[in-house]
Amino acid sequence: AELAEQVKYPILGASCLALIFIFYFIVRKKKDNENSPFIMSFIIIVLTWITMGFYLPAVINLLLFFFQDITRRKLAIVIAVEKVTYPVF
């Protein structure tokens, strides 16, 4: 019974992730919101870690989500005669 309790949340989290990606690849017709399955994946992963009682991996995954979100943003480079402006963050 104790082993079943330990395995319940990881299997539930992995099943949710599999369903999200299967649904995404079947229904994927338009590319305007391509980032949404990854957002849902990170939310499910973080919630699964928290319900299992592992807070450090949840924080690490949350940080990875924010880093991923920062790197996927569109860069706005402004080119003028005097200078080129390239935003750092």
Side-chain angles (χ1 to χ4, degrees), residues 39-89:
I39 294 171
M40 285 299 297
S41 300
F42 274 108
I43 290 171
I44 290 174
I45 289 170
V46 168
L47 289 176
T48 303
W49 282 121
I50 289 173
T51 33
M52 291 172 49
F54 296 111
Y55 301 109
L56 184 62
V59 170
I60 290 171
N61 277 290
L62 199 58
L63 286 174
L64 287 173
F65 169 72
F66 288 124
F67 290 147
Q68 177 275 139
D69 197 39
I70 289 171
T71 59
R72 291 185 61 126
R73 68 179 173 89
K74 294 192 184 287
L75 295 177
I77 301 173
V78 179
I79 301 174
V81 177
E82 304 85 27
K83 62 181 178 176
V84 175
T85 306
Y86 182 80
V88 178
F89 277 101

